[in-house]
Amino acid sequence: NAGVTQTPKFQVLKTGQSMTLQCAQDMNHEYMSWYRQDPGMGLRLIHYSVGAGITDQGEVPNGYNVSRSTTEDFPLRLLSAAPSQTSVYFCASSYLSTLGLALTGELFFGEGSRLTVL
Amino acid sequence: AQSVTQLGSHVSVSEGALVLLRCNYSSSVPPYLFWYVQYPNQGLQLLLKYTTGATLVKGINGFEAEFKKSETSFHLTKPSAHMSDAAEYFCAVNFGNEKLTFGTGTRLTIIP
């Protein structure tokens, strides 16, 4: 199995440009999420989804949009890139507990997308 | 407020020595607790987790962690460090919802 696949692995943007980070999983997971990783700050949740057609905000959603039209795909859109969005982005997916949607299972991560905004 | 704290952003141990990485959380409800490891230029992978049951949890690569409710802690240990354990380790907590909150990470260096 491919697991969680992210593209591109590297991207350089100029301030104000837009782009989409792609994420696909082949494990039929209901839950998908996007994190950004910055030195000394750990991973911070940007957006997440508990199923097709359902998305919600995480800790740092500003400047990012998501949609979930299928179970497999969860793209992250930067509408107008800023230098503060320079980071490594991780997509992750999981099953949800049947006991009230708690995230008790393992998160499966992609290999990351390194984005630089000049 | 619900939060997770990892004490020590960098930890160095000699090969063969005990590894102890600390994680504390703040929550009014019983959490679900996880440790993840990240090797250079890779995504994170699960080391171990606690959801219910036995409070001493064993994971991959010889790591284990103990959930201590009275101390609100979930420290990660390994009796004897190996060079291949050099990586960054993240404690993560789920407070019974759809979000996983990560600590800021501890970079483990193994001294030959």
Side-chain angles (χ1 to χ4, degrees), chain A residues 31 35 37 40 42-43 45 48 50 57 90 101-107 109-110, chain B residues 32 34 36 38 42-44 46 49 51 90 94 97-100 102-104:
Chain A
Y31 183 89
Y35 287 86
Q37 182 178 21
L43 280 80
L45 182 64
Y48 65 96
V50 298
Q57 296 181 350
F90 287 98
L101 290 182
L103 196 59
T104 59
E106 174 180 0
L107 269 181
F109 284 82
Chain B
Y32 304 108
F34 305 79
Y36 282 82
Q38 184 181 32
Q42 294 186 25
L44 281 71
L46 182 69
K49 69 175 183 178
T51 54
F90 293 91
N94 177 262
N97 55 29
E98 307 94 339
K99 302 176 185 179
L100 193 62
F102 285 85
T104 52

PDB file of all heavy atoms in Angstrom, chain A residues 31 35 37 40 42-43 45 48 50 57 90 101-107 109-110, chain B residues 32 34 36 38 42-44 46 49 51 90 94 97-100 102-104:
ATOM      1  N   TYR A  31     -10.787  10.025   8.660  1.00  0.00           N
ATOM      2  CA  TYR A  31     -10.169  11.231   9.196  1.00  0.00           C
ATOM      3  C   TYR A  31      -8.931  11.606   8.403  1.00  0.00           C
ATOM      4  O   TYR A  31      -8.061  10.754   8.150  1.00  0.00           O
ATOM      5  CB  TYR A  31      -9.784  10.991  10.655  1.00  0.00           C
ATOM      6  CG  TYR A  31      -9.193  12.192  11.353  1.00  0.00           C
ATOM      7  CD1 TYR A  31     -10.008  13.115  12.006  1.00  0.00           C
ATOM      8  CD2 TYR A  31      -7.816  12.405  11.389  1.00  0.00           C
ATOM      9  CE1 TYR A  31      -9.479  14.209  12.666  1.00  0.00           C
ATOM     10  CE2 TYR A  31      -7.279  13.500  12.036  1.00  0.00           C
ATOM     11  CZ  TYR A  31      -8.114  14.392  12.678  1.00  0.00           C
ATOM     12  OH  TYR A  31      -7.583  15.492  13.326  1.00  0.00           O
ATOM     13  N   TYR A  35      -1.040  19.365   9.083  1.00  0.00           N
ATOM     14  CA  TYR A  35      -0.251  19.995  10.128  1.00  0.00           C
ATOM     15  C   TYR A  35       0.873  20.786   9.464  1.00  0.00           C
ATOM     16  O   TYR A  35       1.336  20.454   8.377  1.00  0.00           O
ATOM     17  CB  TYR A  35       0.392  18.964  11.050  1.00  0.00           C
ATOM     18  CG  TYR A  35      -0.552  18.274  11.996  1.00  0.00           C
ATOM     19  CD1 TYR A  35      -1.263  17.135  11.617  1.00  0.00           C
ATOM     20  CD2 TYR A  35      -0.716  18.747  13.298  1.00  0.00           C
ATOM     21  CE1 TYR A  35      -2.112  16.497  12.504  1.00  0.00           C
ATOM     22  CE2 TYR A  35      -1.570  18.111  14.189  1.00  0.00           C
ATOM     23  CZ  TYR A  35      -2.252  16.986  13.784  1.00  0.00           C
ATOM     24  OH  TYR A  35      -3.095  16.361  14.669  1.00  0.00           O
ATOM     25  N   GLN A  37       4.861  22.054  10.516  1.00  0.00           N
ATOM     26  CA  GLN A  37       5.910  21.838  11.497  1.00  0.00           C
ATOM     27  C   GLN A  37       6.942  22.945  11.373  1.00  0.00           C
ATOM     28  O   GLN A  37       7.529  23.150  10.297  1.00  0.00           O
ATOM     29  CB  GLN A  37       6.597  20.478  11.295  1.00  0.00           C
ATOM     30  CG  GLN A  37       7.670  20.193  12.333  1.00  0.00           C
ATOM     31  CD  GLN A  37       8.313  18.829  12.165  1.00  0.00           C
ATOM     32  OE1 GLN A  37       8.276  18.234  11.096  1.00  0.00           O
ATOM     33  NE2 GLN A  37       8.885  18.319  13.242  1.00  0.00           N
ATOM     34  N   GLY A  40      10.986  24.247  16.954  1.00  0.00           N
ATOM     35  CA  GLY A  40      10.662  24.654  18.316  1.00  0.00           C
ATOM     36  C   GLY A  40       9.183  24.762  18.619  1.00  0.00           C
ATOM     37  O   GLY A  40       8.798  25.108  19.734  1.00  0.00           O
ATOM     38  N   GLY A  42       6.815  22.270  17.354  1.00  0.00           N
ATOM     39  CA  GLY A  42       6.134  20.995  17.164  1.00  0.00           C
ATOM     40  C   GLY A  42       5.265  21.012  15.925  1.00  0.00           C
ATOM     41  O   GLY A  42       5.545  21.723  14.957  1.00  0.00           O
ATOM     42  N   LEU A  43       4.210  20.233  15.947  1.00  0.00           N
ATOM     43  CA  LEU A  43       3.250  20.196  14.845  1.00  0.00           C
ATOM     44  C   LEU A  43       1.978  20.901  15.285  1.00  0.00           C
ATOM     45  O   LEU A  43       1.462  20.640  16.375  1.00  0.00           O
ATOM     46  CB  LEU A  43       2.918  18.756  14.451  1.00  0.00           C
ATOM     47  CG  LEU A  43       3.943  18.055  13.569  1.00  0.00           C
ATOM     48  CD1 LEU A  43       5.099  17.541  14.387  1.00  0.00           C
ATOM     49  CD2 LEU A  43       3.286  16.917  12.799  1.00  0.00           C
ATOM     50  N   LEU A  45      -1.993  21.904  14.161  1.00  0.00           N
ATOM     51  CA  LEU A  45      -3.084  21.475  13.285  1.00  0.00           C
ATOM     52  C   LEU A  45      -3.651  22.667  12.520  1.00  0.00           C
ATOM     53  O   LEU A  45      -4.015  23.685  13.116  1.00  0.00           O
ATOM     54  CB  LEU A  45      -4.176  20.817  14.128  1.00  0.00           C
ATOM     55  CG  LEU A  45      -5.384  20.263  13.404  1.00  0.00           C
ATOM     56  CD1 LEU A  45      -4.987  19.119  12.477  1.00  0.00           C
ATOM     57  CD2 LEU A  45      -6.424  19.779  14.421  1.00  0.00           C
ATOM     58  N   TYR A  48      -8.827  19.927   9.505  1.00  0.00           N
ATOM     59  CA  TYR A  48      -9.048  18.493   9.516  1.00  0.00           C
ATOM     60  C   TYR A  48     -10.420  18.168   8.954  1.00  0.00           C
ATOM     61  O   TYR A  48     -11.258  19.072   8.771  1.00  0.00           O
ATOM     62  CB  TYR A  48      -8.892  17.914  10.932  1.00  0.00           C
ATOM     63  CG  TYR A  48      -9.920  18.383  11.930  1.00  0.00           C
ATOM     64  CD1 TYR A  48     -11.052  17.617  12.201  1.00  0.00           C
ATOM     65  CD2 TYR A  48      -9.756  19.580  12.612  1.00  0.00           C
ATOM     66  CE1 TYR A  48     -11.989  18.042  13.115  1.00  0.00           C
ATOM     67  CE2 TYR A  48     -10.692  20.009  13.532  1.00  0.00           C
ATOM     68  CZ  TYR A  48     -11.799  19.242  13.790  1.00  0.00           C
ATOM     69  OH  TYR A  48     -12.740  19.660  14.703  1.00  0.00           O
ATOM     70  N   VAL A  50     -13.506  14.881   9.041  1.00  0.00           N
ATOM     71  CA  VAL A  50     -13.945  13.582   9.567  1.00  0.00           C
ATOM     72  C   VAL A  50     -14.718  12.781   8.528  1.00  0.00           C
ATOM     73  O   VAL A  50     -15.272  11.727   8.852  1.00  0.00           O
ATOM     74  CB  VAL A  50     -14.776  13.744  10.859  1.00  0.00           C
ATOM     75  CG1 VAL A  50     -13.932  14.390  11.951  1.00  0.00           C
ATOM     76  CG2 VAL A  50     -16.041  14.547  10.593  1.00  0.00           C
ATOM     77  N   GLN A  57     -11.758  23.706  11.304  1.00  0.00           N
ATOM     78  CA  GLN A  57     -10.501  24.400  11.539  1.00  0.00           C
ATOM     79  C   GLN A  57      -9.741  23.801  12.705  1.00  0.00           C
ATOM     80  O   GLN A  57     -10.329  23.341  13.679  1.00  0.00           O
ATOM     81  CB  GLN A  57     -10.791  25.883  11.827  1.00  0.00           C
ATOM     82  CG  GLN A  57     -11.407  26.627  10.660  1.00  0.00           C
ATOM     83  CD  GLN A  57     -11.651  28.086  10.981  1.00  0.00           C
ATOM     84  OE1 GLN A  57     -11.529  28.525  12.132  1.00  0.00           O
ATOM     85  NE2 GLN A  57     -11.992  28.871   9.974  1.00  0.00           N
ATOM     86  N   PHE A  90       2.598  18.518   6.747  1.00  0.00           N
ATOM     87  CA  PHE A  90       2.331  17.090   6.797  1.00  0.00           C
ATOM     88  C   PHE A  90       0.831  16.845   6.715  1.00  0.00           C
ATOM     89  O   PHE A  90       0.045  17.484   7.416  1.00  0.00           O
ATOM     90  CB  PHE A  90       2.860  16.479   8.094  1.00  0.00           C
ATOM     91  CG  PHE A  90       4.351  16.362   8.129  1.00  0.00           C
ATOM     92  CD1 PHE A  90       5.111  17.318   8.775  1.00  0.00           C
ATOM     93  CD2 PHE A  90       4.992  15.297   7.512  1.00  0.00           C
ATOM     94  CE1 PHE A  90       6.496  17.228   8.808  1.00  0.00           C
ATOM     95  CE2 PHE A  90       6.382  15.194   7.535  1.00  0.00           C
ATOM     96  CZ  PHE A  90       7.120  16.163   8.190  1.00  0.00           C
ATOM     97  N   LEU A 101     -16.313   9.763  18.055  1.00  0.00           N
ATOM     98  CA  LEU A 101     -15.394  10.452  17.140  1.00  0.00           C
ATOM     99  C   LEU A 101     -14.060  10.828  17.771  1.00  0.00           C
ATOM    100  O   LEU A 101     -13.369  11.703  17.284  1.00  0.00           O
ATOM    101  CB  LEU A 101     -16.046  11.715  16.560  1.00  0.00           C
ATOM    102  CG  LEU A 101     -17.190  11.501  15.559  1.00  0.00           C
ATOM    103  CD1 LEU A 101     -17.699  12.833  15.027  1.00  0.00           C
ATOM    104  CD2 LEU A 101     -16.758  10.620  14.417  1.00  0.00           C
ATOM    105  N   ALA A 102     -13.660  10.208  18.847  1.00  0.00           N
ATOM    106  CA  ALA A 102     -12.349  10.502  19.427  1.00  0.00           C
ATOM    107  C   ALA A 102     -11.256   9.916  18.552  1.00  0.00           C
ATOM    108  O   ALA A 102     -11.407   8.850  17.965  1.00  0.00           O
ATOM    109  CB  ALA A 102     -12.250   9.940  20.842  1.00  0.00           C
ATOM    110  N   LEU A 103     -10.145  10.654  18.498  1.00  0.00           N
ATOM    111  CA  LEU A 103      -9.027  10.232  17.669  1.00  0.00           C
ATOM    112  C   LEU A 103      -8.122   9.333  18.497  1.00  0.00           C
ATOM    113  O   LEU A 103      -7.105   9.765  19.040  1.00  0.00           O
ATOM    114  CB  LEU A 103      -8.281  11.468  17.168  1.00  0.00           C
ATOM    115  CG  LEU A 103      -7.318  11.257  16.006  1.00  0.00           C
ATOM    116  CD1 LEU A 103      -8.043  10.697  14.802  1.00  0.00           C
ATOM    117  CD2 LEU A 103      -6.654  12.582  15.629  1.00  0.00           C
ATOM    118  N   THR A 104      -8.490   8.060  18.604  1.00  0.00           N
ATOM    119  CA  THR A 104      -7.732   7.144  19.455  1.00  0.00           C
ATOM    120  C   THR A 104      -6.762   6.283  18.666  1.00  0.00           C
ATOM    121  O   THR A 104      -5.954   5.570  19.244  1.00  0.00           O
ATOM    122  CB  THR A 104      -8.683   6.205  20.220  1.00  0.00           C
ATOM    123  OG1 THR A 104      -9.460   5.470  19.273  1.00  0.00           O
ATOM    124  CG2 THR A 104      -9.604   6.991  21.123  1.00  0.00           C
ATOM    125  N   GLY A 105      -6.879   6.334  17.355  1.00  0.00           N
ATOM    126  CA  GLY A 105      -6.037   5.475  16.545  1.00  0.00           C
ATOM    127  C   GLY A 105      -4.764   6.149  16.096  1.00  0.00           C
ATOM    128  O   GLY A 105      -4.534   7.338  16.316  1.00  0.00           O
ATOM    129  N   GLU A 106      -3.918   5.376  15.452  1.00  0.00           N
ATOM    130  CA  GLU A 106      -2.655   5.875  14.946  1.00  0.00           C
ATOM    131  C   GLU A 106      -2.890   6.829  13.787  1.00  0.00           C
ATOM    132  O   GLU A 106      -3.693   6.560  12.895  1.00  0.00           O
ATOM    133  CB  GLU A 106      -1.804   4.705  14.469  1.00  0.00           C
ATOM    134  CG  GLU A 106      -0.507   5.094  13.793  1.00  0.00           C
ATOM    135  CD  GLU A 106       0.290   3.889  13.340  1.00  0.00           C
ATOM    136  OE1 GLU A 106      -0.171   2.757  13.557  1.00  0.00           O
ATOM    137  OE2 GLU A 106       1.383   4.086  12.767  1.00  0.00           O
ATOM    138  N   LEU A 107      -2.182   7.948  13.800  1.00  0.00           N
ATOM    139  CA  LEU A 107      -2.152   8.843  12.657  1.00  0.00           C
ATOM    140  C   LEU A 107      -1.076   8.352  11.695  1.00  0.00           C
ATOM    141  O   LEU A 107       0.060   8.125  12.101  1.00  0.00           O
ATOM    142  CB  LEU A 107      -1.830  10.265  13.077  1.00  0.00           C
ATOM    143  CG  LEU A 107      -2.962  11.215  13.428  1.00  0.00           C
ATOM    144  CD1 LEU A 107      -2.405  12.583  13.796  1.00  0.00           C
ATOM    145  CD2 LEU A 107      -3.947  11.339  12.278  1.00  0.00           C
ATOM    146  N   PHE A 109       1.216   9.348   8.617  1.00  0.00           N
ATOM    147  CA  PHE A 109       1.716  10.584   8.039  1.00  0.00           C
ATOM    148  C   PHE A 109       2.295  10.378   6.653  1.00  0.00           C
ATOM    149  O   PHE A 109       2.904   9.346   6.358  1.00  0.00           O
ATOM    150  CB  PHE A 109       2.816  11.178   8.926  1.00  0.00           C
ATOM    151  CG  PHE A 109       2.305  11.854  10.160  1.00  0.00           C
ATOM    152  CD1 PHE A 109       1.981  11.132  11.289  1.00  0.00           C
ATOM    153  CD2 PHE A 109       2.141  13.231  10.177  1.00  0.00           C
ATOM    154  CE1 PHE A 109       1.496  11.762  12.422  1.00  0.00           C
ATOM    155  CE2 PHE A 109       1.670  13.877  11.299  1.00  0.00           C
ATOM    156  CZ  PHE A 109       1.348  13.137  12.429  1.00  0.00           C
ATOM    157  N   GLY A 110       2.146  11.409   5.821  1.00  0.00           N
ATOM    158  CA  GLY A 110       2.899  11.486   4.597  1.00  0.00           C
ATOM    159  C   GLY A 110       4.328  11.901   4.898  1.00  0.00           C
ATOM    160  O   GLY A 110       4.689  12.162   6.047  1.00  0.00           O
TER     161      GLY A 110
ATOM    162  N   TYR B  32      -6.222  10.543  25.753  1.00  0.00           N
ATOM    163  CA  TYR B  32      -5.546   9.466  25.053  1.00  0.00           C
ATOM    164  C   TYR B  32      -4.143   9.971  24.729  1.00  0.00           C
ATOM    165  O   TYR B  32      -3.981  11.095  24.260  1.00  0.00           O
ATOM    166  CB  TYR B  32      -6.303   9.099  23.781  1.00  0.00           C
ATOM    167  CG  TYR B  32      -7.746   8.717  24.027  1.00  0.00           C
ATOM    168  CD1 TYR B  32      -8.785   9.562  23.653  1.00  0.00           C
ATOM    169  CD2 TYR B  32      -8.069   7.519  24.641  1.00  0.00           C
ATOM    170  CE1 TYR B  32     -10.106   9.225  23.881  1.00  0.00           C
ATOM    171  CE2 TYR B  32      -9.394   7.174  24.876  1.00  0.00           C
ATOM    172  CZ  TYR B  32     -10.396   8.032  24.501  1.00  0.00           C
ATOM    173  OH  TYR B  32     -11.707   7.693  24.746  1.00  0.00           O
ATOM    174  N   PHE B  34      -0.030   9.521  23.233  1.00  0.00           N
ATOM    175  CA  PHE B  34       0.745   8.930  22.164  1.00  0.00           C
ATOM    176  C   PHE B  34       2.190   9.441  22.214  1.00  0.00           C
ATOM    177  O   PHE B  34       2.445  10.567  22.654  1.00  0.00           O
ATOM    178  CB  PHE B  34       0.180   9.330  20.781  1.00  0.00           C
ATOM    179  CG  PHE B  34      -1.280   9.018  20.590  1.00  0.00           C
ATOM    180  CD1 PHE B  34      -2.259   9.839  21.127  1.00  0.00           C
ATOM    181  CD2 PHE B  34      -1.670   7.913  19.848  1.00  0.00           C
ATOM    182  CE1 PHE B  34      -3.608   9.570  20.939  1.00  0.00           C
ATOM    183  CE2 PHE B  34      -3.018   7.636  19.655  1.00  0.00           C
ATOM    184  CZ  PHE B  34      -3.982   8.456  20.201  1.00  0.00           C
ATOM    185  N   TYR B  36       5.240   9.713  19.228  1.00  0.00           N
ATOM    186  CA  TYR B  36       5.627   9.535  17.835  1.00  0.00           C
ATOM    187  C   TYR B  36       7.120   9.824  17.700  1.00  0.00           C
ATOM    188  O   TYR B  36       7.677  10.629  18.454  1.00  0.00           O
ATOM    189  CB  TYR B  36       4.858  10.498  16.922  1.00  0.00           C
ATOM    190  CG  TYR B  36       3.435  10.078  16.636  1.00  0.00           C
ATOM    191  CD1 TYR B  36       2.416  10.350  17.546  1.00  0.00           C
ATOM    192  CD2 TYR B  36       3.107   9.402  15.465  1.00  0.00           C
ATOM    193  CE1 TYR B  36       1.102   9.965  17.287  1.00  0.00           C
ATOM    194  CE2 TYR B  36       1.804   9.018  15.187  1.00  0.00           C
ATOM    195  CZ  TYR B  36       0.816   9.300  16.101  1.00  0.00           C
ATOM    196  OH  TYR B  36      -0.481   8.917  15.838  1.00  0.00           O
ATOM    197  N   GLN B  38      10.216  10.883  14.770  1.00  0.00           N
ATOM    198  CA  GLN B  38      10.467  11.416  13.437  1.00  0.00           C
ATOM    199  C   GLN B  38      11.956  11.329  13.138  1.00  0.00           C
ATOM    200  O   GLN B  38      12.772  11.965  13.809  1.00  0.00           O
ATOM    201  CB  GLN B  38      10.005  12.869  13.328  1.00  0.00           C
ATOM    202  CG  GLN B  38      10.167  13.448  11.929  1.00  0.00           C
ATOM    203  CD  GLN B  38       9.733  14.902  11.849  1.00  0.00           C
ATOM    204  OE1 GLN B  38       9.861  15.669  12.791  1.00  0.00           O
ATOM    205  NE2 GLN B  38       9.177  15.292  10.705  1.00  0.00           N
ATOM    206  N   GLN B  42      11.691  12.712   7.268  1.00  0.00           N
ATOM    207  CA  GLN B  42      10.601  11.755   7.154  1.00  0.00           C
ATOM    208  C   GLN B  42       9.380  12.268   7.909  1.00  0.00           C
ATOM    209  O   GLN B  42       9.468  13.235   8.689  1.00  0.00           O
ATOM    210  CB  GLN B  42      11.018  10.394   7.724  1.00  0.00           C
ATOM    211  CG  GLN B  42      12.113   9.700   6.933  1.00  0.00           C
ATOM    212  CD  GLN B  42      12.377   8.303   7.461  1.00  0.00           C
ATOM    213  OE1 GLN B  42      11.517   7.669   8.069  1.00  0.00           O
ATOM    214  NE2 GLN B  42      13.578   7.809   7.203  1.00  0.00           N
ATOM    215  N   GLY B  43       8.268  11.605   7.679  1.00  0.00           N
ATOM    216  CA  GLY B  43       7.082  11.888   8.473  1.00  0.00           C
ATOM    217  C   GLY B  43       7.182  11.228   9.832  1.00  0.00           C
ATOM    218  O   GLY B  43       8.186  10.599  10.167  1.00  0.00           O
ATOM    219  N   LEU B  44       6.144  11.399  10.631  1.00  0.00           N
ATOM    220  CA  LEU B  44       6.139  10.819  11.975  1.00  0.00           C
ATOM    221  C   LEU B  44       5.577   9.412  11.919  1.00  0.00           C
ATOM    222  O   LEU B  44       4.710   9.099  11.101  1.00  0.00           O
ATOM    223  CB  LEU B  44       5.275  11.666  12.919  1.00  0.00           C
ATOM    224  CG  LEU B  44       5.895  12.942  13.458  1.00  0.00           C
ATOM    225  CD1 LEU B  44       6.025  13.994  12.383  1.00  0.00           C
ATOM    226  CD2 LEU B  44       5.045  13.468  14.616  1.00  0.00           C
ATOM    227  N   LEU B  46       4.199   6.153  14.683  1.00  0.00           N
ATOM    228  CA  LEU B  46       3.765   5.871  16.047  1.00  0.00           C
ATOM    229  C   LEU B  46       4.742   4.933  16.744  1.00  0.00           C
ATOM    230  O   LEU B  46       5.105   3.888  16.219  1.00  0.00           O
ATOM    231  CB  LEU B  46       2.372   5.241  16.028  1.00  0.00           C
ATOM    232  CG  LEU B  46       1.760   4.944  17.380  1.00  0.00           C
ATOM    233  CD1 LEU B  46       1.424   6.252  18.107  1.00  0.00           C
ATOM    234  CD2 LEU B  46       0.507   4.082  17.228  1.00  0.00           C
ATOM    235  N   LYS B  49       1.004   3.947  22.255  1.00  0.00           N
ATOM    236  CA  LYS B  49      -0.145   4.752  22.652  1.00  0.00           C
ATOM    237  C   LYS B  49      -0.811   4.157  23.883  1.00  0.00           C
ATOM    238  O   LYS B  49      -0.720   2.955  24.147  1.00  0.00           O
ATOM    239  CB  LYS B  49      -1.159   4.855  21.512  1.00  0.00           C
ATOM    240  CG  LYS B  49      -1.877   3.564  21.185  1.00  0.00           C
ATOM    241  CD  LYS B  49      -2.956   3.790  20.127  1.00  0.00           C
ATOM    242  CE  LYS B  49      -3.720   2.511  19.847  1.00  0.00           C
ATOM    243  NZ  LYS B  49      -4.811   2.706  18.850  1.00  0.00           N
ATOM    244  N   THR B  51      -4.671   4.232  25.538  1.00  0.00           N
ATOM    245  CA  THR B  51      -6.078   4.657  25.455  1.00  0.00           C
ATOM    246  C   THR B  51      -6.822   4.223  26.700  1.00  0.00           C
ATOM    247  O   THR B  51      -7.412   5.040  27.409  1.00  0.00           O
ATOM    248  CB  THR B  51      -6.756   4.111  24.186  1.00  0.00           C
ATOM    249  OG1 THR B  51      -6.597   2.690  24.143  1.00  0.00           O
ATOM    250  CG2 THR B  51      -6.126   4.717  22.938  1.00  0.00           C
ATOM    251  N   PHE B  90       7.999  13.109  19.689  1.00  0.00           N
ATOM    252  CA  PHE B  90       6.869  13.981  19.987  1.00  0.00           C
ATOM    253  C   PHE B  90       5.848  13.249  20.845  1.00  0.00           C
ATOM    254  O   PHE B  90       5.400  12.149  20.493  1.00  0.00           O
ATOM    255  CB  PHE B  90       6.174  14.436  18.699  1.00  0.00           C
ATOM    256  CG  PHE B  90       7.011  15.346  17.845  1.00  0.00           C
ATOM    257  CD1 PHE B  90       7.829  14.842  16.849  1.00  0.00           C
ATOM    258  CD2 PHE B  90       6.977  16.720  18.052  1.00  0.00           C
ATOM    259  CE1 PHE B  90       8.601  15.683  16.060  1.00  0.00           C
ATOM    260  CE2 PHE B  90       7.742  17.573  17.263  1.00  0.00           C
ATOM    261  CZ  PHE B  90       8.560  17.046  16.279  1.00  0.00           C
ATOM    262  N   ASN B  94      -4.811  13.368  22.821  1.00  0.00           N
ATOM    263  CA  ASN B  94      -6.166  13.597  22.346  1.00  0.00           C
ATOM    264  C   ASN B  94      -7.088  13.719  23.556  1.00  0.00           C
ATOM    265  O   ASN B  94      -7.100  12.839  24.408  1.00  0.00           O
ATOM    266  CB  ASN B  94      -6.630  12.457  21.444  1.00  0.00           C
ATOM    267  CG  ASN B  94      -8.076  12.648  21.009  1.00  0.00           C
ATOM    268  OD1 ASN B  94      -8.996  12.070  21.587  1.00  0.00           O
ATOM    269  ND2 ASN B  94      -8.287  13.470  20.012  1.00  0.00           N
ATOM    270  N   ASN B  97     -11.646  14.264  21.436  1.00  0.00           N
ATOM    271  CA  ASN B  97     -12.316  14.885  20.285  1.00  0.00           C
ATOM    272  C   ASN B  97     -11.581  14.494  19.016  1.00  0.00           C
ATOM    273  O   ASN B  97     -10.876  13.494  18.975  1.00  0.00           O
ATOM    274  CB  ASN B  97     -12.375  16.404  20.482  1.00  0.00           C
ATOM    275  CG  ASN B  97     -11.001  17.007  20.729  1.00  0.00           C
ATOM    276  OD1 ASN B  97     -10.001  16.481  20.261  1.00  0.00           O
ATOM    277  ND2 ASN B  97     -10.966  18.096  21.469  1.00  0.00           N
ATOM    278  N   GLU B  98     -11.751  15.311  17.955  1.00  0.00           N
ATOM    279  CA  GLU B  98     -11.153  14.963  16.666  1.00  0.00           C
ATOM    280  C   GLU B  98      -9.782  15.579  16.458  1.00  0.00           C
ATOM    281  O   GLU B  98      -9.272  15.626  15.329  1.00  0.00           O
ATOM    282  CB  GLU B  98     -12.073  15.428  15.526  1.00  0.00           C
ATOM    283  CG  GLU B  98     -13.495  14.949  15.643  1.00  0.00           C
ATOM    284  CD  GLU B  98     -14.381  15.965  16.334  1.00  0.00           C
ATOM    285  OE1 GLU B  98     -13.840  16.823  17.062  1.00  0.00           O
ATOM    286  OE2 GLU B  98     -15.601  15.914  16.149  1.00  0.00           O
ATOM    287  N   LYS B  99      -9.154  16.096  17.494  1.00  0.00           N
ATOM    288  CA  LYS B  99      -7.877  16.787  17.321  1.00  0.00           C
ATOM    289  C   LYS B  99      -6.791  16.115  18.136  1.00  0.00           C
ATOM    290  O   LYS B  99      -7.021  15.686  19.261  1.00  0.00           O
ATOM    291  CB  LYS B  99      -8.005  18.248  17.761  1.00  0.00           C
ATOM    292  CG  LYS B  99      -9.079  19.015  17.022  1.00  0.00           C
ATOM    293  CD  LYS B  99      -9.211  20.427  17.572  1.00  0.00           C
ATOM    294  CE  LYS B  99     -10.375  21.147  16.922  1.00  0.00           C
ATOM    295  NZ  LYS B  99     -10.545  22.514  17.460  1.00  0.00           N
ATOM    296  N   LEU B 100      -5.594  16.030  17.539  1.00  0.00           N
ATOM    297  CA  LEU B 100      -4.430  15.523  18.238  1.00  0.00           C
ATOM    298  C   LEU B 100      -3.489  16.693  18.462  1.00  0.00           C
ATOM    299  O   LEU B 100      -3.083  17.355  17.499  1.00  0.00           O
ATOM    300  CB  LEU B 100      -3.755  14.423  17.424  1.00  0.00           C
ATOM    301  CG  LEU B 100      -2.705  13.591  18.150  1.00  0.00           C
ATOM    302  CD1 LEU B 100      -3.327  12.852  19.321  1.00  0.00           C
ATOM    303  CD2 LEU B 100      -2.046  12.604  17.193  1.00  0.00           C
ATOM    304  N   PHE B 102       0.087  18.101  19.664  1.00  0.00           N
ATOM    305  CA  PHE B 102       1.467  17.658  19.804  1.00  0.00           C
ATOM    306  C   PHE B 102       2.256  18.578  20.728  1.00  0.00           C
ATOM    307  O   PHE B 102       2.033  19.796  20.773  1.00  0.00           O
ATOM    308  CB  PHE B 102       2.160  17.632  18.434  1.00  0.00           C
ATOM    309  CG  PHE B 102       1.766  16.482  17.570  1.00  0.00           C
ATOM    310  CD1 PHE B 102       0.626  16.548  16.781  1.00  0.00           C
ATOM    311  CD2 PHE B 102       2.508  15.312  17.557  1.00  0.00           C
ATOM    312  CE1 PHE B 102       0.240  15.478  15.984  1.00  0.00           C
ATOM    313  CE2 PHE B 102       2.139  14.245  16.762  1.00  0.00           C
ATOM    314  CZ  PHE B 102       1.001  14.322  15.980  1.00  0.00           C
ATOM    315  N   GLY B 103       3.211  17.984  21.437  1.00  0.00           N
ATOM    316  CA  GLY B 103       4.191  18.765  22.153  1.00  0.00           C
ATOM    317  C   GLY B 103       5.197  19.350  21.176  1.00  0.00           C
ATOM    318  O   GLY B 103       5.146  19.088  19.972  1.00  0.00           O
ATOM    319  N   THR B 104       6.128  20.129  21.710  1.00  0.00           N
ATOM    320  CA  THR B 104       7.084  20.826  20.854  1.00  0.00           C
ATOM    321  C   THR B 104       8.256  19.947  20.424  1.00  0.00           C
ATOM    322  O   THR B 104       9.081  20.371  19.633  1.00  0.00           O
ATOM    323  CB  THR B 104       7.618  22.080  21.552  1.00  0.00           C
ATOM    324  OG1 THR B 104       8.086  21.721  22.842  1.00  0.00           O
ATOM    325  CG2 THR B 104       6.521  23.130  21.697  1.00  0.00           C
TER     326      THR B 104
END
